[in-house]
Amino acid sequence: MHAIGIDIGGTKIAGAVVDELGAIVRSERTPTPAGDSRLLEDTVVEMIRSLSAGEPTAAVGVAAAGFIDAAQSMVYYAPNIDWRNEPFREKLEARIGTTVVVDNDANAAGWAEFRFGAGRLVSDMVMLTIGTGVGGAIVAGDRLFRGGFGAGAELGHVRVVPNGIACGCGRRGCLEQYGSGRALLRMANEIADAGGIGQELARARDEHGMLDGRLVGALIEADDPGAIEALRRLGNWLGQAAASLSAVLDPQRFVFGGGVAVAGELLLGPIREAYFDHLPARGYHPEPDFVIAELVNDAGVVGAADLARVWVAEHA
């Protein structure tokens, strides 16, 4: 039973026909008209119609950043799109005549990893997506956790530093300010300013005018000590947060995705070290696995499609 997955990002909309095993049959991409909600709706409808042409599909799943209600229908708030209490599911179903479910993009990516990727052999999993910000997804007892209102698992906004760095959510000290790609760049600049092991970071910054993810990533690959130290600091905060999450959720596996996760073991090493340093009752607490996500850029569309398929099966 094929389903369609649509992943609405800040700059692009990705869509795919996905089979029951999580394999992509056909896919499309187009720029996101983020400033025009009506045009965005038209673009999504057009993509769904194009993908479903000549291909019987059971349902459509849509993934988007923001707060989605527990019924997988209403977008309470989207940070990159002018959506406030948007009945997106109702609008799409009225236009395409097919069952639609809407979910948070991090939930969709986490569900894809749980079903078809790095989390497929466990029943309880936490995924942290390390990009510009920090996204989160929780699977508990083989089910995706959404919370009572649907807006749960916002793990990037768990506070790790009281009165810490101001966050875009309006609070201070959120994990997103210490464990994201943006945080990695801030730490790299701090190391560059300090001299010593930051000399190559400083040189790259002077040569290019600023440090970006590509430059820092290249220096990490080259084993530059300053860039590795920035990654170690990032991993330390993520490991501390994971230890706190373990005290509440007790997952069997932590999965790390997003652009920074391409560092692989260089990131997982300091995460594990900090996790065990801060784990309550270490030595008596079962220890989870720490792994890198497998589906990378396809996770959003694959997860959205499978969540739609699950909804149809449960409501048949």
Side-chain angles (χ1 to χ4, degrees):
M1 181 171 62
H2 290 174
I4 292 174
I6 305 291
D7 186 7
I8 302 173
T11 59
K12 71 176 184 305
I13 300 173
V17 178
V18 182
D19 70 16
E20 293 175 327
L21 299 178
I24 291 178
V25 177
R26 190 166 69 258
S27 64
E28 294 184 9
R29 290 192 177 195
T30 191
T32 302
D36 187 332
S37 58
R38 177 63 186 186
L39 180 57
L40 188 147
E41 180 186 321
D42 292 341
T43 302
V44 171
V45 168
E46 183 178 323
M47 180 176 284
I48 292 169
R49 288 172 176 164
S50 174
L51 288 168
S52 60
E55 188 77 55
T57 53
V60 176
V62 178
F67 297 147
I68 318 295
D69 70 354
Q72 298 170 271
S73 177
M74 176 82 70
V75 182
Y76 292 134
Y77 168 81
N80 302 317
I81 303 165
D82 186 23
W83 281 343
R84 304 295 183 269
N85 296 318
E86 176 75 11
F88 199 54
R89 174 180 180 174
E90 179 182 326
K91 287 184 174 182
L92 289 184
E93 287 185 339
R95 296 183 64 178
I96 66 174
T98 302
T99 298
V100 175
V101 298
V102 183
D103 220 315
N104 174 269
D105 58 347
N107 279 349
W111 183 254
E113 290 294 339
F114 171 71
R115 289 273 286 145
F116 308 111
R120 61 186 175 274
L121 298 179
V122 299
S123 63
D124 291 71
M125 179 200 91
V126 170
M127 180 167 170
L128 288 163
T129 304
I130 316 304
T132 303
V134 176
I138 299 167
V139 176
D142 294 315
R143 297 189 67 85
L144 187 64
F145 173 82
R146 294 187 180 86
F149 300 103
E154 288 289 334
L155 304 183
H157 298 289
V158 171
R159 179 180 290 180
V160 292
V161 179
N163 299 315
I165 297 170
C167 182
C169 74
R171 299 172 65 209
R172 288 183 172 272
C174 294
L175 176 61
E176 188 163 288
Q177 301 306 311
Y178 297 87
S180 64
R182 189 185 294 115
L184 179 66
L185 294 181
R186 187 188 72 249
M187 294 167 186
N189 276 294
E190 291 170 353
I191 293 168
D193 291 341
I197 62 171
Q199 290 179 356
E200 282 302 306
L201 287 168
R203 183 197 59 76
R205 185 175 62 186
D206 291 343
E207 182 177 337
H208 296 275
M210 62 181 293
L211 288 174
D212 59 21
R214 180 185 59 82
L215 290 171
V216 175
L219 287 171
I220 289 171
E221 289 184 8
D223 291 328
D224 172 68
I228 295 294
E229 171 61 17
L231 189 66
R232 188 197 66 77
R233 294 181 187 180
L234 185 87
N236 176 69
W237 286 114
L238 291 168
Q240 289 188 48
S244 294
L245 292 171
S246 270
V248 179
L249 301 169
D250 191 30
Q252 298 154 301
R253 182 165 295 168
F254 282 93
V255 178
F256 294 88
V260 178
V262 299
E265 190 58 36
L266 289 174
L267 175 65
L268 293 182
I271 288 175
R272 287 194 198 94
E273 181 180 349
Y275 174 87
F276 291 125
D277 283 346
H278 293 84
L279 179 66
R282 183 183 179 184
Y284 301 94
H285 189 292
E287 298 178 356
D289 298 327
F290 295 82
V291 300
I292 298 298
E294 296 178 3
L295 300 181
V296 197
N297 295 328
D298 293 333
V301 293
V302 170
D306 198 63
L307 286 168
R309 187 183 291 109
V310 168
W311 194 95
V312 168
E314 290 183 346
H315 293 79

